Amino acid sequence: MAVDYIVIVVYLAGMLAMGWWGMRRAKSKSEFLVAGRRLGPAMYSGTMAAIVLGGASTIGGVGLGYQYGLSGAWMVVTIGLGLLALSVFFSARIARLKVYTVSEMLDLRYGGRAGVISGVVMWAYTLMLAVTSTIAYATIFDVLFDVNRTLAIILGGSIVVAYSTLGGMWSITLTDMVQFVVKTIGVLLLLLPIAVVKAGGFSEMKAQLPTSYFDPLGVGGETIFTYVLIYTFGMLIGQDIWQRVFTAGSDRTAKWGGTIAGTYCLVYAVAGAIIGTAAKVLYPKLGSPDDAFATIVKDELPMGVRGLVLAAALAAVMSTSSGALIACATVANNDIWSRLRGLIRKEGEPDEVHDEVKGNRAFILAMGVAVILIAIALNDVVEALTVAYNLLVGGLLVPILGGLLWKRGTAQGALAAVAVGGLAVVGLMAAYGILANEPVYYGLLASLAVYVAVSLATRPTDEAILTAWRERLAGRAPEPQSEPAVPAHQ
């Protein structure tokens, strides 16, 4: 596998080099956190597709295809549908807000009182998303270098933390663009046709497998509905996704670039399911469906191609991991630490001048170390990811979409919805089990009911706040000026 090793090492070295290059561009808070809000359509589309199609979509998507056949595509399909809905209906307005976090949006809409608790919930979601992506390195590096789980997590996690810390969103954008190209070549153009040919073509696959493998709804209606609730709605409100929307150079880029990325996700979903179905023909008795991707790559692909496809899997994991990491650090710094610092500071005491780029860089490093340590200690990826998405959707979906769509929603209603929805999800997971469907169903209903009831029972949001909100949504208000970075020699 010497050639494969060379391909992988060159790829990883390239990621670090782009981190160094990105560091030279990230000279302000806007450049560091949202790439200066000036990405064009091509780069925006590629990087958006890269972040939403992670290890779960690649390794997990193939695994679902192995287990259920073509209907295994539904998980990734619902991700693509969520991205399409976000892009068509909301992305232009979100981009015009000129904020850095979802909690800042809630503060603008509800008058500065709704973002604190939502910041904690969003931080927990992005942290667990980064952890689950980091755990996935263990599978890939085990196939590549036969190293133990802890070393694999440290190796993969350290590379992502390094380039993310160096250049922030610019480094992540550049690496994601390369990762998008590698995934497209490795999974769609190489692994997909080779897997189908090795399995004897579609006619042989149909002859070897039960008819349920070719039923579009074979995975089950309830499972598909749950995927829609968790992933489609999760795409609408996640900080990791919104932070990419903030990088768009224009409304048109946010809308049409995201639409292209969402369509790409649908193609990727079907490809993963077909590859998994082919793997079922070739290896009918694997110990775990999630082993299907690594097994077919290791045993069926020629030298060199194997290295590129494994690099594609690594690219999928790294893009999601780095996007979740910078989102987690941005929320921790902007929504939690900055508020705590304001509370600690004595009344009337001026805020100290600090280098915002340096501060955000320090938070990425700190969160990155925490993510690696938690990933080493945690074993169950599915449970961690389920907890993250249940908290996100159950706690934040209603106040965020309510703020965008319903004028009568109030700060008290939003706070009540976050608290009741989040607590309901946690309590129901304890009662029904983490992987049960009921927590997100009932948690979401409780959040909606409380939001509407409390909003109607309290005074409407001040008209001055709503006027300022509408000005921001229309793009007529200037972006708030961030503090200038302190030169390195001071």
Side-chain angles (χ1 to χ4, degrees), residues 104-402:
E104 287 182 44
M105 166 263 169
L106 291 173
D107 278 346
L108 281 171
R109 167 60 181 81
Y110 295 111
R113 291 174 290 170
V116 181
I117 188 171
S118 66
V120 174
V121 175
M122 189 64 78
W123 174 77
Y125 157 72
T126 53
L127 180 71
M128 295 312 296
L129 185 61
V131 166
T132 54
S133 301
T134 303
I135 291 173
Y137 294 126
T139 302
I140 300 170
F141 280 100
D142 178 53
V143 175
L144 284 173
F145 304 117
D146 193 26
V147 297
N148 68 54
R149 179 180 182 277
T150 299
L151 184 59
I153 289 172
I154 292 172
L155 178 60
S158 297
I159 292 169
V160 169
V161 172
Y163 73 69
S164 301
T165 301
L166 284 172
M169 187 58 81
W170 268 121
S171 295
I172 293 170
T173 297
L174 293 168
T175 54
D176 276 0
M177 198 63 201
V178 173
Q179 288 158 359
F180 169 74
V181 173
V182 170
K183 277 193 286 194
T184 301
I185 296 172
V187 175
L188 298 185
L189 302 184
L190 293 175
L191 182 57
L192 174 61
I194 290 173
V196 172
V197 169
K198 292 282 187 177
F202 286 104
S203 58
E204 183 65 21
M205 289 161 65
K206 286 185 177 181
Q208 292 284 339
L209 296 172
T211 54
S212 62
Y213 267 70
F214 302 92
D215 179 358
L217 303 178
V219 72
E222 185 180 355
T223 299
I224 295 170
F225 181 66
T226 304
Y227 284 158
V228 170
L229 276 185
I230 292 177
Y231 297 114
T232 301
F233 287 127
M235 286 294 107
L236 297 179
I237 58 174
Q239 169 67 26
D240 51 324
I241 309 302
W242 277 41
Q243 200 156 343
R244 294 309 174 97
V245 175
F246 299 151
T247 66
S250 66
D251 293 358
R252 185 179 178 84
T253 294
K255 182 175 181 177
W256 294 110
T259 301
I260 292 169
T263 305
Y264 178 90
C265 291
L266 302 182
V267 175
Y268 200 88
V270 175
I274 293 173
I275 293 167
T277 305
K280 184 67 175 179
V281 173
L282 295 167
Y283 313 99
K285 296 182 179 180
L286 288 178
S288 167
D290 285 342
D291 293 336
F293 181 88
T295 303
I296 197 169
V297 169
K298 195 172 184 179
D299 294 349
E300 302 297 335
L301 299 186
M303 180 177 59
V305 173
R306 181 171 50 206
L308 185 59
V309 173
L310 286 171
L314 199 56
V317 176
M318 282 187 160
S319 55
T320 300
S321 181
S322 58
L325 177 59
I326 193 171
C328 177
T330 303
V331 171
N333 189 12
N334 285 25
D335 296 335
I336 300 175
W337 170 242
S338 63
R339 297 173 193 271
L340 290 175
R341 191 176 60 206
L343 291 173
I344 294 169
R345 193 172 65 249
K346 295 178 181 178
E347 188 175 348
E349 181 182 337
D351 194 6
E352 61 186 82
V353 177
H354 61 282
D355 185 339
E356 289 190 307
V357 173
K358 186 177 179 181
N360 282 294
R361 188 172 280 139
F363 266 87
I364 291 179
L365 180 59
M367 292 298 104
V369 172
V371 163
I372 291 171
L373 293 176
I374 296 171
I376 291 170
L378 203 61
N379 285 318
D380 199 316
V381 179
V382 176
E383 288 194 357
L385 195 61
T386 301
V387 170
Y389 271 100
N390 281 354
L391 278 172
L392 177 71
V393 174
L396 293 180
L397 178 68
V398 169
I400 292 171
L401 292 190

Side-chain angles (χ1 to χ4, degrees), residues 469-482:
W469 165 253
R470 286 191 290 268
E471 288 291 306
R472 291 292 284 271
L473 275 181
R476 291 190 289 266
E479 178 178 355
Q481 293 298 308
S482 60

